[in-house]
Amino acid sequence: MEIYRQSDLAPGDRISVSREGNITTYTLSNASGSGTVESHELFCGTQLLFDDMHMDTFGEGGSDAGGFIVEHCRFGRFEGSFCDGRQFFLGAGDVCVHHMVDRKVFSSRFPTRHYHGITLIFDLPQGAFADFLRFSGIDFSSLTAKYLSKDISCVIRANERACRIFSDLYGAREKKDAGYFRLKVTELLHFLQDFSPAENEAKTHTLPADVVRAMKEAEEYLWSDLSAPHTVRSLSAKFGFSPTSFKNYFKTVFGYPVHEYIFTCRMQLAQYDLVTSDKKIAAVARGAGYKNVSKFSDAFKRFSGVSPREYRKNKTLSEWSILMPSRG
């Protein structure tokens, strides 16, 4: 089952493909960054994907994949767009269940340009897979009907049992043990069979496309000058929202409160400047919005675990710091 085909991708999207046994690795790239998708075939038509993305978006088109889709966010932020223009968001630990055959999830993005997760694709079970599910006590038809018959998708907010199952899958990634993967995937299907979407307190949190667009414009504005004294009140007025609405919308899209997001971006920019330039620490502090070097040093150590001088000496960039200065 092909997950991506170059002929069907959007302009600018590129893939390279390598195969080893039942594992296919797709290396993705476009102007917004790069990523990899490592696909393990568990049964014919059943795929376990490890998604490692460092980009803004990548096209969904052209896949042979269909049926029942389960996505789990481990780190970062996942944004799905429905055909009607609404958009939903997954944070760490969240699970989304949807149906790709009907193209109900039209496209996906990664608002923080940083995403690690798992995607499970179940085609209509047949042969050995159908037998395995029946033997395991899984009623696949009832399971899919429960999640997909009434809603465009179901989002399950971080759940202890689901997180443990996905943690086990991540932990076994290097072993590439298809038999173990099948057991854990069966355990996940049992969880979904037992779980009641009606009892899920956090329903799918969707936002209109124009609100999401405004939040992304606000984020680009923040990045245009991180040294400026941005406040929720000034940002909400600039983009036409009440302060409360702006705070709620921003956190839905990016997963952080506004003040925490600004602090994180400033520290990541400081990390980048310390390693890639010879700016004096006072200049790095000013670029991060600090007039007082001592206060900057205290904040930087709280964020990075070491002082700015020690960080520069170690010349070690965090994953986000490599990417984030190019944003906006």
Side-chain angles (χ1 to χ4, degrees), residues 258-278:
V258 180
H259 69 279
E260 185 178 339
Y261 192 84
I262 294 171
F263 173 74
T264 299
C265 292
R266 285 172 170 169
M267 292 301 102
Q268 289 164 347
L269 179 61
Q271 288 178 338
Y272 184 85
D273 282 346
L274 286 167
V275 171
T276 63
S277 77
D278 58 0

Side-chain angles (χ1 to χ4, degrees), residues 79 89 111 113 207-223 235-236 238-254 256 258 261 327:
E79 172 190 333
F89 300 86
R113 286 78 159 177
L207 291 177
D210 60 335
V211 171
V212 176
R213 187 163 50 250
M215 293 303 104
K216 291 184 177 179
E217 289 173 359
E219 191 234 15
E220 290 180 1
Y221 175 72
L222 290 174
W223 269 97
L235 290 168
S236 60
K238 180 175 179 61
F239 290 94
F241 298 93
S242 71
T244 298
S245 293
F246 185 88
K247 286 192 295 185
N248 291 338
Y249 293 153
F250 192 93
K251 186 174 181 180
T252 295
V253 174
F254 295 103
Y256 291 90
V258 180
Y261 192 84
R327 300 172 67 165

Side-chain angles (χ1 to χ4, degrees), residues 310-327:
E310 289 172 305
Y311 194 90
R312 169 169 274 171
K313 183 179 179 181
N314 293 335
K315 295 187 181 299
T316 301
L317 277 175
S318 70
E319 199 168 38
W320 277 19
S321 294
I322 294 170
L323 300 171
M324 293 190 76
S326 66
R327 300 172 67 165

Side-chain angles (χ1 to χ4, degrees), residues 160-206:
E160 184 178 351
R161 182 179 171 191
C163 286
R164 178 178 53 77
I165 295 168
F166 280 106
S167 179
D168 290 344
L169 285 169
Y170 288 115
R173 182 178 182 178
E174 293 302 318
K175 296 180 181 178
K176 299 178 172 57
D177 186 339
Y180 181 80
F181 286 155
R182 291 186 190 116
L183 290 174
K184 300 310 296 185
V185 168
T186 302
E187 187 178 347
L188 175 66
L189 291 175
H190 274 293
F191 161 74
L192 293 174
Q193 190 166 259
D194 296 340
F195 187 83
S196 173
E199 298 174 3
N200 189 22
E201 294 181 359
K203 300 292 185 182
T204 303
H205 195 162
T206 61

Side-chain angles (χ1 to χ4, degrees), residues 85-232:
R86 292 181 301 149
Q87 290 164 273
F88 72 90
F89 300 86
L90 302 183
D94 293 343
V95 176
C96 177
V97 182
H98 62 87
H99 203 323
M100 189 64 80
V101 165
D102 295 335
R103 304 303 294 168
K104 289 180 177 177
V105 174
F106 187 69
S107 66
S108 57
R109 291 180 176 271
F110 316 104
T112 60
R113 286 78 159 177
H114 176 86
Y115 173 77
H116 295 272
I118 279 179
T119 302
L120 283 158
I121 302 173
F122 302 93
D123 211 339
L124 296 177
Q126 53 188 311
F129 182 39
D131 293 340
F132 183 79
L133 290 181
R134 282 194 296 271
F135 178 79
S136 303
I138 303 294
D139 185 340
F140 193 79
S141 295
S142 296
L143 178 65
T144 56
K146 180 170 76 170
Y147 283 91
L148 306 176
S149 61
K150 295 182 180 180
D151 199 3
I152 203 164
S153 76
C154 174
V155 171
I156 303 170
R157 298 304 177 193
N159 174 283
E160 184 178 351
R161 182 179 171 191
C163 286
R164 178 178 53 77
I165 295 168
F166 280 106
S167 179
D168 290 344
L169 285 169
Y170 288 115
R173 182 178 182 178
E174 293 302 318
K175 296 180 181 178
K176 299 178 172 57
D177 186 339
Y180 181 80
F181 286 155
R182 291 186 190 116
L183 290 174
K184 300 310 296 185
V185 168
T186 302
E187 187 178 347
L188 175 66
L189 291 175
H190 274 293
F191 161 74
L192 293 174
Q193 190 166 259
D194 296 340
F195 187 83
S196 173
E199 298 174 3
N200 189 22
E201 294 181 359
K203 300 292 185 182
T204 303
H205 195 162
T206 61
L207 291 177
D210 60 335
V211 171
V212 176
R213 187 163 50 250
M215 293 303 104
K216 291 184 177 179
E217 289 173 359
E219 191 234 15
E220 290 180 1
Y221 175 72
L222 290 174
W223 269 97
S224 69
D225 185 4
L226 281 171
S227 66
H230 301 293
T231 66
V232 170

Side-chain angles (χ1 to χ4, degrees), residues 285-311:
R286 286 194 297 272
Y290 288 82
K291 296 179 180 179
N292 185 297
V293 175
S294 178
K295 288 183 178 180
F296 165 72
S297 296
D298 289 343
F300 187 90
K301 188 170 185 177
R302 188 167 70 249
F303 180 81
S304 303
V306 294
S307 70
R309 204 171 298 279
E310 289 172 305
Y311 194 90

